[in-house]
Amino acid sequence: MMAHQHFYKVGVKWTGNLGTGTSDYKAYSRNHLIQVEGKVPVESSSDPLFRGDPNRYNPEEMLVASLSSCHMLWYLHFCADAGIIVTSYQDNAEGIMAVETSGAGQFTEVTLRPRISLTNMQMMDQANALHEKANAYCFIARSCNFPVKHEPVYSIG
């Protein structure tokens, strides 16, 4: 049962008209801006494999980043609640996308690989268990139809 709803307004503005619009598949840029009122726009494009600008974020990267960010925020919350002191957290997440011969595709999995420093390594087992809890609460992971895996590495810090 839903207690309440949150709404998110995001604008996407295509900036890739090179003069003739979409007159041909190769005639336009995939560049666009992701805009949220009051925030700096994010310069985006498609994956370079799909004629995108490699210097801009693409939707696939943004999906993986969203999963990583959401997981981290819940994980840190649950560590704080449990008295586990995390002093650093850096993730090197990776997503796998399968593309069919038709061009359609989907993500098949995302693996989060956080490197986490704890002040007390005796709490590592408890800290490790909180990844499953974070995954169960992460709004983004709960919305995905593919597995989100976790391969954390811990150090003292």
Side-chain angles (χ1 to χ4, degrees):
M1 181 173 186
M2 296 291 161
H4 55 278
Q5 294 180 317
H6 296 264
F7 298 89
Y8 300 90
K9 294 182 179 182
V10 176
V12 175
K13 180 182 179 183
W14 176 50
T15 58
N17 184 345
L18 301 177
T20 60
T22 58
S23 61
D24 182 74
Y25 182 74
K26 296 180 181 181
Y28 63 96
S29 165
R30 277 53 177 176
N31 291 355
H32 57 281
L33 297 175
I34 298 173
Q35 302 171 306
V36 175
E37 188 174 331
K39 297 180 182 182
V40 176
V42 176
E43 293 185 345
S44 304
S45 192
S46 64
D47 184 299
L49 294 171
F50 308 112
R51 305 190 57 78
D53 183 339
N55 298 308
R56 292 175 173 231
Y57 293 101
N58 63 57
E60 295 81 7
E61 292 166 335
M62 299 293 276
L63 175 67
V64 175
S66 293
L67 282 164
S68 177
S69 178
C70 186
H71 180 85
M72 178 193 70
L73 294 168
W74 276 108
Y75 180 78
L76 295 174
H77 171 93
F78 292 137
C79 283
D81 286 352
I84 298 168
I85 300 172
V86 174
T87 57
S88 71
Y89 184 112
Q90 181 175 336
D91 193 6
N92 295 303
E94 181 178 12
I96 300 174
M97 185 176 73
V99 180
E100 300 167 5
T101 56
S102 68
Q106 66 279 331
F107 275 81
T108 57
E109 72 179 52
V110 168
T111 303
L112 307 180
R113 293 186 179 92
R115 300 182 65 78
I116 303 163
S117 293
L118 304 174
T119 59
N120 182 351
M121 288 299 283
Q122 292 179 339
M123 299 190 90
M124 185 178 76
D125 289 343
Q126 188 180 356
N128 200 42
L130 291 177
H131 286 287
E132 290 304 317
K133 185 174 182 181
N135 194 64
Y137 278 76
C138 170
F139 307 135
I140 310 300
R142 290 172 52 91
S143 301
C144 294
N145 65 352
F146 53 84
V148 179
K149 301 176 181 181
H150 314 99
E151 296 176 359
V153 174
Y154 298 93
S155 63
I156 190 77

